[in-house]
Amino acid sequence: MRRKLIAGNWKMYKTTAEAVALVEEIKKGLAGAPGDTLVAPPFTSLVAVVAAAKGSPVAVAAQNMHFEKEGAFTGEVSPAMLKDVGTTHVVLGHSERRQHFAETDEGVARKTKAALDAGLVPISCVGETLSEREAGKTMDVVKRQVDAILNALTPEEAARIVIAYEPVWAIGTGKVATPEQAQEVHAFVRLRIGAVHGRPVGEALRILYGGSVKPDNVKGLMALPDVDGALVGGASLKADSFLKLVHYDKQ
Ligand code: PEP
């Protein structure tokens, strides 16, 4: 039985004071949550958010990292640095990074492996653009992205990752995937994991859906058999809407 994970991606929003205030409010509303809760603040507030979340069920993720252990990479942050400040998870290969920072399938795969090597749980993102969907290429694109990640890992390593399926056309647009569209891709990804690393790995691994998840659509999405949680942007920036997602069973 896979536990659901509701993860908030705060992107490039919130000062340290705002980030701490948000996590404090989230903590107050967690009682009775049916699944796990995670927030991904910007690098600058990781230390403060980890301290504020300490002793609570809120896990803290970074939104990116470099795949090298250290070196002359100005402006970058290493896996060990994230671990050092108490981060437990890291979001990798978000479509905004693929689109605006030229991240490649190969780079995302290397980062996923490097995160595991450092003891972090990677939340590795995949998903097709609108033109790829309209051209009937959704499964080809998702297979290419997922395979790149899976082929960099052993079955034991693969069992420790989280995959987020985020159709690019649904991110920040208010256009959520229909339950049928989400379930179809999630089931496909799970089959693919099973084909590469064995069925038990496919069955154990959590696959999150991301793309305009809101309080009014979360319950239906979470009821889908292969959707194991949500990666949320906009609705994670305010405690009241994020807590409604965390309590998806009551919406
Ligand atoms: C995201 O940033 O990963 C995301 C899914 O954003 P939104 O929920 O705003 O669509």
Side-chain angles (χ1 to χ4, degrees):
M1 188 62 192
R2 297 179 298 268
R3 251 176 96 74
K4 302 264 196 268
L5 170 62
I6 306 297
N9 169 19
W10 296 355
K11 309 195 187 197
M12 199 172 72
Y13 293 101
K14 306 221 174 273
T15 62
T16 299
E18 290 165 348
V20 169
L22 178 52
V23 80
E24 291 294 354
E25 274 195 79
I26 292 169
K27 272 166 48 180
K28 281 188 220 148
L30 279 185
D36 298 328
T37 307
L38 175 147
V39 296
F43 286 129
T44 47
S45 50
L46 279 176
V47 171
V49 170
V50 166
K54 201 169 176 188
S56 83
V58 181
V60 182
Q63 299 173 18
N64 180 35
M65 54 165 228
H66 200 280
F67 47 73
E68 292 289 357
K69 287 197 170 75
E70 61 182 5
F73 300 106
T74 302
E76 292 291 328
V77 171
S78 77
M81 289 168 186
L82 297 181
K83 189 78 183 156
D84 180 49
V85 297
T87 310
T88 53
H89 295 64
V90 58
V91 177
L92 297 173
H94 190 282
S95 68
E96 286 152 14
R97 297 217 51 89
R98 291 178 186 258
Q99 190 185 341
H100 303 302
F101 301 96
E103 292 213 10
T104 61
D105 294 341
E106 195 222 350
V108 177
R110 282 183 80 177
K111 288 184 177 194
T112 302
K113 168 82 174 124
L116 288 166
D117 288 346
L120 296 163
V121 177
I123 301 173
S124 301
C125 304
V126 300
E128 82 287 2
T129 63
L130 183 59
S131 60
E132 288 164 343
R133 176 162 281 269
E134 286 175 347
K137 291 189 184 142
T138 298
M139 298 309 182
D140 291 344
V141 170
V142 171
K143 178 174 179 291
R144 191 198 71 222
Q145 295 171 331
V146 167
D147 279 8
I149 295 165
L150 296 177
N151 290 332
L153 308 176
T154 65
E156 294 71 29
E157 289 169 338
R160 285 157 44 210
I161 74 170
V162 175
I163 294 214
Y165 168 58
E166 299 207 305
V168 179
W169 48 270
I171 298 178
T173 59
K175 262 200 238 167
V176 65
T178 64
E180 293 73 25
Q181 287 170 327
Q183 173 57 28
E184 184 186 27
V185 180
H186 280 238
F188 173 78
V189 170
R190 197 176 304 289
L191 272 179
R192 198 61 214 145
I193 299 161
V196 177
H197 285 307
R199 196 152 171 251
V201 177
E203 287 302 319
L205 202 147
R206 292 200 278 197
I207 307 171
L208 313 183
Y209 168 80
S212 297
V213 177
K214 308 283 178 210
D216 64 0
N217 59 34
V218 69
K219 193 173 183 179
L221 288 162
M222 293 308 112
L224 298 168
D226 287 298
V227 173
D228 308 314
L231 181 56
V232 187
S236 74
L237 294 172
K238 290 211 168 101
D240 61 345
S241 52
F242 187 62
L243 284 168
K244 284 185 182 148
L245 303 183
V246 166
H247 294 281
Y248 60 85
D249 53 331
K250 304 201 183 64
Q251 303 316 307

